[in-house]
């Protein structure tokens, strides 16, 4: 019995004493396969060969599949992660292309595969002379798996590099951002870098709207799959504006200048030029501090153009009406400070005369009627005490007095002591002209209904009409006469501010501004022209004040741009341009006997 139980155990008896036949046969097969019996060797060799052939076939199939379907690996990154990302076209309001992508080839190298680095540097720099040899040698000597040799080479350079036949050097197709109109609208468009990342202007705004997130998430975007961005700009008008501004800056020997055309009903910026500017195709020029966008980044004392806000404030709050009179018989003293008029009349002035004679004393007295807190509240309501936000990332905070007292209210009333961006001041004057709604400026195309949907009312409609009347009056008999182009029924206001140099007002350096509304009876566009340190000329009798430079340039712009913007000249003046004032009993009796001088 003992021998029987031992025999069952050796055979691997299962439950109930049944032998494990399957496991025994499998064990016997492997014992025979790996035994050293020479007679069985050919079978084993065939079996092992079949296994290895199968493995090699699987590996080869995988390699072929990767070659056909996968992007090639370069270093530790896929090429799709390192080439410039696609961006949408940017168009003007009429569909003209302002920025677009083109396909280019870029040269890369894999340092680990370069056999002779000195030879590679010598050959590559011979056909790509703008590549720095020492820098390339240093980068080829690194342990990186991938480096750029030169981005966006020309087709000829591509062929020359190809003929070198250097192992470890190749090409990748990329998107390159181009701006076909050069410096036209450069400050609005901004630019994108070589990697397709928006750095400034609308290019940076587009990334902030989700384009950068899509690229980061690995979406394979092409220019064709991205909807174009339609701006508010008119390319033809912008070109004309820049051209006239450049002529004006050169003629009056100004350090800089800028022009903006704003649709007061939609808030659309239709044209913008700021000189000196740059070509976004060579974005390194944008780093020059002198090439800032003076319209939104610069903040300035806007001079007498601010009197439009002060007069409208006093009218809207019922402190005066168009028949009211303001004492300007002598200078206005406050402590050790004295406020003078540039062209003193030394008499009591009507409200229209305060505007057309651009009286500092009159504006200060109007602001004092409203009071310090009321003045601050009104300026805050029309957006002058906080940063202006548009699609452009480049904006600046206004410079507001820390301790705002009566003297501050007096000087701010005529444009000194508060620094704002020109576009910010335009937003306020645009609201005063369009019927009283504060419409935020935009660089994207939109209609009037969308613009005014949430626009707050800041003044009454009759106050708005009063201001348009005053601006038209100033163009007829006041300081805005040089921009009164026949057929356009414009209204205007000049502003000349002494510049602050080393903490003091310099008498020989001025910053001039001119705001023109066209047409004054049915306002559509507000034009702002500014010049930094224009010089007096013999033909201006040595004057360097706003009427003689910014006003003259504005007139030339109106004459040239009006037809482009759908406003051909009309040679029959409107019979009743200000109907609300007529109903209130105000008419030509409000016109002073003589107008203000050109300053």
């Amino acid at each position: 019995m003992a021998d029987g139980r031992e025999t069952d155990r050796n055979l691997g008896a299962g439950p109930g004493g049944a032998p494990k036949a399957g496991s025994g046969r499998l064990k016997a097969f492997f014992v025979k396969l790996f035994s050293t019996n020479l007679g069985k060797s050919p079978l084993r060799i065939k079996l092992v060969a079949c296994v290895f052939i199968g493995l090699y076939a699987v590996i080869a199939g995988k390699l072929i599949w990767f070659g056909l379907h996968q992007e090639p690996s370069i270093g530790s990154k896929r090429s799709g992660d390192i080439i410039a990302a696609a961006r949408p076209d940017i168009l003007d309001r009429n569909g003209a292309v302002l920025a677009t992508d083109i396909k280019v080839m870029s040269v890369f190298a894999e340092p680990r595969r370069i056999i002779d680095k000195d030879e590679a540097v010598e050959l590559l720099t011979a056909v790509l002379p703008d590549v720095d040899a020492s820098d390339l040698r240093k980068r080829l000597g690194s342990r990186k798996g991938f480096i750029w040799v030169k981005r966006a080479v020309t087709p000829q350079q591509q062929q020359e590099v190809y003929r070198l036949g250097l192992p470890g050097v190749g090409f990748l197709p990329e998107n390159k951002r181009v701006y076909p109109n050069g410096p036209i609208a450069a400050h609005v468009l901004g630019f994108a870098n070589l990697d397709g990342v928006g750095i400034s202007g609308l290019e940076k705004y587009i990334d902030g709207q989700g384009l950068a997130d899509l690229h980061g998430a690995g979406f394979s975007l092409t220019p064709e799959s991205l909807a174009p961005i339609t701006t508010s700009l008119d390319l033809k008008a912008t070109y004309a504006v820049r051209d006239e501004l450049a002529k004006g800056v050169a003629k009056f020997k100004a350090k800089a200048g800028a022009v903006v055309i704003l649709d007061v009903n939609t808030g659309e910026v239709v044209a913008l030029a700021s000189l000196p500017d740059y070509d976004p195709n060579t974005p390194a020029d944008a780093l020059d501090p002198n090439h800032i966008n003076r319209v939104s980044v610069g903040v300035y004392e806007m001079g007498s153009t601010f009197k439009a806000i002060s007069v409208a404030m006093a009218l809207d709050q019922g402190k005066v009406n168009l028949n009211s009179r303001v004492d300007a018989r002598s200078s206005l003293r406050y402590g050790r400070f004295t406020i003078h008029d540039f062209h003193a009349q030394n008499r009591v002035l009507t409200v229209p005369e305060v505007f057309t004679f651009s009286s500092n004393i009159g504006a200060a007295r109007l602001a004092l009627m409203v009071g310090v807190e009321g003045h601050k509240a009104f300026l805050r309501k029309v957006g002058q005490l906080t940063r202006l936000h548009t699609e452009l990332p480049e904006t600046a905070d206004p410079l507001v007095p820390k301790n705002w007292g009566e003297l501050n209210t007096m000087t701010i009333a005529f444009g000194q002591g508060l620094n704002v961006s020109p576009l910010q001041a335009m937003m306020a004057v645009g609201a005063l002209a369009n019927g009283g709604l504060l419409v935020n400026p935009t660089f994207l195309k939109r209609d009037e209904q969308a613009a005014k949907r949430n626009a707050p009312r800041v003044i009454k409609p009759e106050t708005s009409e009063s201001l348009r009347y005053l601006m038209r009056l100033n163009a007829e008999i006041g300081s805005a006469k040089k921009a009164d182009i026949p057929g356009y029924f414009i209204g205007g206001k000049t502003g000349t501010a002494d510049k602050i140099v080393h903490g003091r007002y310099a008498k020989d350096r001025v910053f001039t501004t001119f705001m023109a509304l066209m047409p004054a009876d049915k306002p559509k566009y507000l034009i702002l022209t500014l010049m930094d340190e224009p010089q007096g000329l013999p033909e201006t009798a040595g004057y360097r004040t706003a009427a003689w430079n910014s006003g003259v340039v504005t007139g030339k712009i109106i004459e040239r741009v009006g037809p482009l913007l759908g406003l051909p000249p009309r040679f029959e003046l409107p019979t009743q341009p200000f109907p609300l004032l007529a109903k209130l009993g105000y008419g030509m009796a409000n016109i002073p006997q003589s107008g203000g001088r050109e300053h």
Side-chain angles (χ1 to χ4, degrees):
M1 291 299 293
D3 293 340
R5 284 193 298 270
E6 185 68 24
T7 301
D8 289 343
R9 196 160 47 244
N10 289 340
L11 291 175
K20 296 182 180 179
S23 61
R25 286 195 295 270
L26 184 63
K27 181 177 178 182
F29 171 78
F30 281 107
V31 168
K32 292 180 180 179
L33 178 63
F34 293 103
S35 68
T36 57
N37 188 342
L38 295 178
K40 301 295 184 181
S41 294
L43 176 62
R44 289 199 300 272
I45 293 172
K46 290 178 182 179
L47 182 59
V48 171
C50 290
V51 171
F52 277 102
I53 290 172
L55 289 174
Y56 280 119
V58 172
I59 293 171
K62 276 288 186 182
L63 290 174
I64 294 171
W65 189 89
F66 278 122
L68 293 174
H69 296 87
Q70 297 285 79
E71 293 178 353
S73 294
I74 301 174
S76 60
K77 291 184 174 183
R78 293 188 304 117
S79 61
D81 295 329
I82 54 181
I83 64 172
R87 304 184 63 80
D89 285 353
I90 301 179
L91 312 177
D92 91 328
R93 63 186 304 108
N94 301 310
V97 176
L98 302 177
T100 189
D101 281 359
I102 61 172
K103 289 295 183 182
V104 295
M105 298 300 292
S106 294
V107 182
F108 73 89
E110 298 174 272
R112 297 171 189 169
R113 295 185 56 207
I114 300 294
I115 298 171
D116 189 332
K117 292 179 174 54
D118 290 330
E119 179 190 30
V121 169
E122 181 180 351
L123 293 174
L124 287 170
T125 54
V127 298
L128 303 172
D130 52 345
V131 174
D132 184 85
S134 60
D135 176 65
L136 180 59
R137 184 176 290 104
K138 179 180 178 181
R139 290 186 294 124
L140 286 178
S142 69
R143 298 299 300 164
K144 293 182 178 180
F146 174 93
I147 65 164
W148 286 117
V149 176
K150 180 174 171 55
R151 310 286 288 273
V153 297
T154 66
Q156 181 180 353
Q157 289 173 327
Q158 180 188 354
Q159 288 299 317
E160 290 175 348
V161 172
Y162 179 77
R163 291 191 190 102
L164 296 178
L166 291 172
V169 175
F171 305 95
L172 279 176
E174 286 199 281
N175 299 297
K176 181 183 179 182
R177 199 64 163 169
V178 295
Y179 304 88
N181 304 293
I184 307 301
H187 287 105
V188 176
L189 298 174
F191 62 93
N193 65 13
L194 287 173
D195 294 319
V197 177
I199 302 299
S200 66
L202 287 179
E203 294 283 26
K204 186 173 182 178
Y205 165 79
I206 291 169
D207 282 0
Q209 298 306 297
L211 181 64
D213 293 336
L214 290 175
H215 286 147
F219 284 90
S220 181
L221 302 176
T222 64
E224 295 76 20
S225 66
L226 296 169
I229 306 298
T230 301
T231 69
S232 59
L233 296 176
D234 184 295
L235 177 60
K236 293 179 180 179
T238 303
Y239 174 85
V241 160
R242 184 182 183 276
D243 185 50
E244 292 298 336
L245 176 64
K247 293 175 184 176
V249 167
K251 178 178 180 179
F252 297 106
K253 301 178 176 61
K255 285 179 57 178
V259 176
V260 188
I261 300 180
L262 179 75
D263 187 319
V264 298
N265 299 308
T266 66
E268 295 170 299
V269 176
V270 178
L272 184 151
S274 177
L275 297 178
D277 57 9
Y278 63 94
D279 187 341
N281 293 300
T282 55
D285 293 344
L287 302 178
D288 187 331
N290 200 36
H291 293 170
I292 65 167
N293 181 359
R294 285 169 167 78
V295 171
S296 63
V297 176
V299 291
Y300 310 98
E301 292 183 342
M302 295 299 292
S304 293
T305 52
F306 239 58
K307 289 172 185 167
I309 298 175
S310 303
V311 172
M313 173 183 67
L315 288 170
D316 198 65
Q317 298 193 12
K319 303 300 181 182
V320 294
N321 58 43
L322 291 179
N323 289 328
S324 298
R325 296 179 178 272
V326 182
D327 186 1
R329 290 174 294 178
S330 60
S331 299
L332 182 59
R333 295 188 60 83
Y334 189 92
R336 60 188 179 89
F337 297 97
T338 304
I339 295 172
H340 305 278
D341 279 345
F342 189 77
H343 292 298
Q345 301 300 301
N346 299 313
R347 62 181 175 85
V348 174
L349 302 175
T350 65
V351 169
E353 286 178 320
V354 169
F355 197 86
T356 57
F357 284 115
S358 199
S359 171
N360 295 339
I361 297 169
R365 289 194 182 280
L366 291 176
L368 288 176
M369 293 179 190
V370 175
V372 173
E373 294 306 318
H375 189 207
K376 285 196 289 187
F378 187 81
L379 290 177
R380 186 176 293 107
K381 184 167 65 170
V382 294
Q384 301 305 289
L385 302 185
T386 55
R387 175 179 286 197
L388 174 65
H389 293 284
T390 68
E391 294 83 9
L392 299 190
E394 300 81 28
T395 58
D397 286 313
L399 301 179
V400 182
K402 291 183 179 179
N403 301 307
W404 190 321
E406 282 192 339
L407 181 61
N408 301 104
T409 279
M410 294 162 68
T411 60
I412 290 171
F414 56 82
Q416 286 187 359
L418 175 64
N419 294 54
V420 299
S421 71
L423 188 58
Q424 193 167 9
M426 288 187 79
M427 176 180 67
V429 176
L432 304 183
N434 71 9
L437 298 178
L438 188 70
V439 180
N440 203 72
T442 181
F443 292 89
L444 301 178
K445 190 175 181 179
R446 72 179 174 197
D447 59 31
E448 184 174 345
Q449 183 180 4
K452 292 184 175 180
R453 185 174 295 121
N454 297 311
R457 175 166 293 282
V458 292
I459 59 170
K460 298 185 283 289
E462 52 268 32
T463 305
S464 174
E465 190 166 297
S466 296
L467 185 72
R468 297 200 304 272
Y469 163 75
L470 293 176
M471 292 183 76
R472 175 58 194 165
L473 187 64
N474 198 40
E476 290 180 339
I477 63 172
S479 60
K481 285 190 291 187
K482 289 191 177 297
D484 188 17
I485 303 301
Y488 286 100
F489 200 71
I490 76 140
K493 186 71 189 81
T494 53
T496 303
D498 293 329
K499 289 187 66 176
I500 297 177
V501 180
H502 305 303
R504 300 177 64 88
Y505 285 103
K507 297 299 181 182
D508 60 343
R509 302 184 190 182
V510 295
F511 183 85
T512 69
T513 54
F514 190 97
M515 284 200 192
L517 183 68
M518 68 173 191
D521 59 327
K522 296 179 180 179
K524 177 64 175 174
Y525 296 112
L526 182 66
I527 303 174
L528 169 66
T529 301
L530 65 86
M531 287 200 172
D532 190 356
E533 296 188 22
Q535 304 301 307
L537 304 176
E539 63 192 85
T540 68
Y543 284 110
R544 56 175 175 266
T545 46
W548 295 95
N549 42 70
S550 291
V552 170
V553 173
T554 303
K556 293 185 180 298
I557 289 172
I558 290 172
E559 195 169 20
R560 184 169 173 182
V561 172
L564 295 176
L565 297 179
L567 288 177
R570 49 178 182 168
F571 295 104
E572 291 185 5
L573 295 178
T575 56
Q576 195 176 46
F578 307 108
L580 291 179
L581 292 184
K583 290 180 181 179
L584 294 174
Y586 297 109
M588 299 305 289
N590 295 307
I591 299 177
Q593 293 180 354
S594 61
R597 295 190 182 181
E598 297 167 342
H599 70 284

